[in-house]
């Protein structure tokens, strides 16, 4: 059997959606995009939203819209996709890395000592289809007068205590890349309840003007628009969201019932909903051997995120971060990287495939235990 890590969940509905753009003879941002934005605002429970070409640029726009720029510092968890930090760097600001808790989300206790007069914002990242503890983030931000930019790239449909991810602070960012919960191929979204931030976003994304077709540009802006073709795909994905959530929960359940009870599956606290973006397990002592073995059995797995403070790309900033690079500062993210394994959990995976994966994992761990004895 061959089981990939991921497969997009597309069918004739998306194909017909694309065709409808051709039928309308409208491919740039237009009626489909408006409908997509309206439906997303309703789903997320937010006043304003703008589309973006991808989730990296949507974080960038979000940061710019709240005024992050040169010389500023933004606290970013070191356990995330590197784009979270790169978007800060793109603004000319510094991402300041901090460790995570066992639930894979930002450790606010370790954030305290990072705050200085340059610190302007904090970026909680909602990881693997679970929500960050936003009660803690909001009170931390209030205490230190920081703005909140939520990286909710993986968190469409995810709530903390009933409130949708991305709506707790000034701005929130989502991604519609192919492996996110719903996709438009590439794509992103910035949400806000603040009218002034919304207006800034409009300027930034459309060449520094609000109206299309005008050549008067009150501000410097760029082209961060999307297309109606992508929005049309997004609309048909949104129609499948309930089905996607149901399937994802079933996948997690099937893993839980078939994996040996000694294997730890990471799950969020009760305040967070859970739409497993990945089914994540930790293997005490290290996940590498298991991943190698799975490969020989035709199963594609993934490691957890490589901690950002160890990324080759960020080593040149080591002087700047030197006081933060003390060994035990990042122990949780380092342990998670060593022990974490992401199992295939794409919507169309079959129960039979999941059972095969579980059999292989159980078999491997059993043999390993016997080997040690
Ligand atoms: C995917 C992702 C991004 C970047 O989104 P793109 O659409 O790929 O640019 C940023 N942060 C996190 C946590 C992500 O998972």
């Amino acid at each position: 059997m061959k089981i990939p890590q991921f497969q997009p969940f597309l069918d004739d509905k998306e194909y017909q959606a694309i065709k409808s753009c051709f039928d309308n003879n409208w491919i740039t941002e237009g009626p489909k995009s408006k409908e997509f934005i309206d439906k997303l605002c309703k789903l997320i429970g937010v006043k304003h939203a703008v589309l973006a070409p991808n989730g990296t640029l949507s974080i960038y726009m979000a940061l710019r819209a709240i005024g992050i720029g040169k010389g500023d510092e933004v606290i970013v968890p070191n356990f995330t996709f590197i784009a979270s930090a790169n978007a800060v760097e793109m603004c000319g600001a510094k991402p300041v890395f901090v460790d995570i808790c066992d639930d894979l989300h930002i450790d606010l206790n370790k954030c305290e000592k990072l705050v200085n007069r340059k610190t302007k914002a904090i970026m909680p990242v909602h990881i693997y289809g679970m929500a960050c503890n936003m009660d803690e983030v909001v009170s931390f931000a209030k205490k230190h007068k920081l703005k909140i930019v939520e990286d909710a790239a993986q968190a469409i449909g995810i709530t903390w205590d009933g409130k949708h991810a991305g709506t707790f602070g000034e701005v929130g960012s989502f991604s519609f890349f192919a492996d996110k919960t719903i996709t438009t191929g590439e794509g992103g979204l910035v949400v806000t309840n603040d009218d002034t931030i919304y207006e800034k976003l409009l300027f930034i994304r459309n060449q520094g003007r609000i109206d299309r077709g005008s050549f008067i540009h009150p501000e410097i802006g760029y082209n961060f628009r999307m297309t109606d073709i992508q929005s049309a795909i997004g609309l048909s994905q949104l129609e499948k969201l309930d089905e996607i959530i149901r399937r994802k929960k079933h996948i997690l359940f099937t893993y839980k019932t078939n994996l040996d009870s000694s294997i730890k599956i990471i799950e969020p606290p009760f305040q967070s909903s859970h739409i497993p973006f990945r089914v994540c397990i930790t293997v005490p002592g290290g996940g590498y051997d298991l991943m190698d073995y799975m490969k020989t059995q035709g199963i594609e797995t993934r490691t957890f995120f490589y901690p950002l403070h160890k990324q080759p790309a960020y080593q040149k900033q080591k002087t700047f971060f030197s006081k933060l690079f003390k060994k035990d500062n990042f122990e949780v993210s380092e342990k998670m990287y060593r022990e974490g394994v992401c199992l295939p959990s794409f919507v169309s995976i079959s129960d039979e495939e999941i059972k095969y994966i579980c059999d292989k994992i159980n078999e491997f761990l059993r043999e390993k235990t016997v080997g040690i004895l």
Side-chain angles (χ1 to χ4, degrees), residues 13-303:
K13 292 213 178 65
E14 282 76 15
Y15 192 70
Q16 291 304 325
I18 295 171
K19 191 175 167 293
S20 73
C21 296
F22 283 73
D23 295 343
N24 291 347
N25 200 20
W26 196 304
I27 53 174
T28 58
E29 244 178 45
K32 296 286 178 193
S33 299
K34 186 172 179 318
E35 193 185 338
F36 191 36
I37 289 172
D38 289 348
K39 292 207 163 134
L40 287 165
C41 280
K42 215 162 155 205
L43 169 73
I44 296 166
V46 74
K47 194 169 170 194
H48 303 295
V50 300
L51 296 168
N54 56 59
T56 309
L57 287 172
S58 64
I59 305 173
Y60 169 74
M61 273 204 276
L63 290 161
R64 285 286 307 267
I66 57 162
I68 301 298
K70 203 158 183 283
D72 294 338
E73 292 185 8
V74 178
I75 299 175
V76 179
N78 72 336
F79 188 89
T80 174
F81 186 52
I82 198 167
S84 313
N86 291 355
V88 176
E89 199 273 343
M90 203 175 163
C91 293
K94 299 271 183 200
V96 177
F97 301 130
V98 67
D99 202 11
I100 48 163
C101 302
D102 280 339
D103 72 353
L104 305 183
H105 294 93
I106 191 165
D107 184 345
L108 290 151
N109 291 323
K110 290 187 177 174
C111 288
E112 258 336 298
K113 63 178 180 206
L114 304 179
V115 179
N116 63 58
R117 61 187 172 76
K118 291 184 183 165
T119 315
K120 295 287 153 56
I122 183 164
M123 186 190 292
V125 183
H126 304 281
I127 286 289
Y128 296 151
M130 302 176 281
C132 179
N133 182 335
M134 290 309 293
D135 298 334
E136 281 183 15
V137 174
V138 168
S139 70
F140 182 87
K142 257 202 190 114
K143 179 177 168 197
H144 295 285
K145 298 195 170 50
L146 303 178
K147 295 197 164 135
I148 301 171
V149 184
E150 283 172 72
D151 182 349
Q154 306 177 354
I156 270 285
I158 298 297
T159 57
W160 174 264
D161 208 7
K163 193 170 150 78
H164 203 289
T167 64
F168 287 83
E170 278 72 15
V171 267
S173 167
F174 294 85
S175 164
F176 304 125
F177 183 65
D179 72 348
K180 313 292 180 187
T181 306
I182 61 164
T183 184
T184 60
E186 298 276 2
L189 184 82
V190 190
V191 300
T192 184
N193 282 309
D194 184 305
D195 297 343
T196 315
I197 292 174
Y198 175 58
E199 181 160 280
K200 285 222 169 78
L201 288 166
L202 293 176
F203 277 111
I204 293 168
R205 71 189 303 276
N206 188 25
Q207 314 283 15
R209 64 188 168 183
I210 302 266
D211 297 327
R212 232 182 247 245
S214 155
F215 291 114
I216 311 294
H217 306 259
E219 290 188 19
I220 291 176
Y222 313 94
N223 176 354
F224 294 144
R225 298 183 303 258
M226 219 163 84
T227 67
D228 250 26
I229 302 172
Q230 290 162 294
S231 293
I233 296 174
L235 279 167
S236 51
Q237 288 268 300
L238 265 186
E239 269 171 34
K240 293 176 175 171
L241 183 59
D242 286 345
E243 183 189 354
I244 292 173
I245 295 172
R246 230 178 7 253
R247 264 308 294 168
K248 289 268 189 179
K249 285 186 184 296
H250 175 77
I251 290 166
L252 178 67
F253 174 79
T254 311
Y255 270 114
K256 265 168 128 171
T257 42
N258 287 284
L259 277 177
D260 190 280
S261 58
S262 68
I263 296 162
K264 188 175 179 308
I265 298 180
I266 295 189
E267 289 191 85
F270 73 92
Q271 297 95 326
S272 166
S273 58
H274 192 192
I275 308 174
F277 178 69
R278 304 267 189 268
V279 170
C280 303
I281 60 168
T282 50
V283 184
Y288 308 119
D289 293 347
L290 174 62
M291 283 187 274
D292 284 346
Y293 176 70
M294 302 284 272
K295 202 170 171 186
T296 66
Q297 301 302 305
I299 303 160
E300 253 188 59
T301 56
R302 288 273 188 283
T303 65

Side-chain angles (χ1 to χ4, degrees), residues 327-346:
K327 209 165 161 257
D328 61 350
N329 267 338
F330 299 105
E331 59 192 352
V332 180
S333 51
E334 287 176 6
K335 177 169 170 280
M336 285 300 174
Y337 176 71
R338 269 196 316 275
E339 299 190 347
V341 179
C342 296
L343 304 174
S345 52
F346 52 91

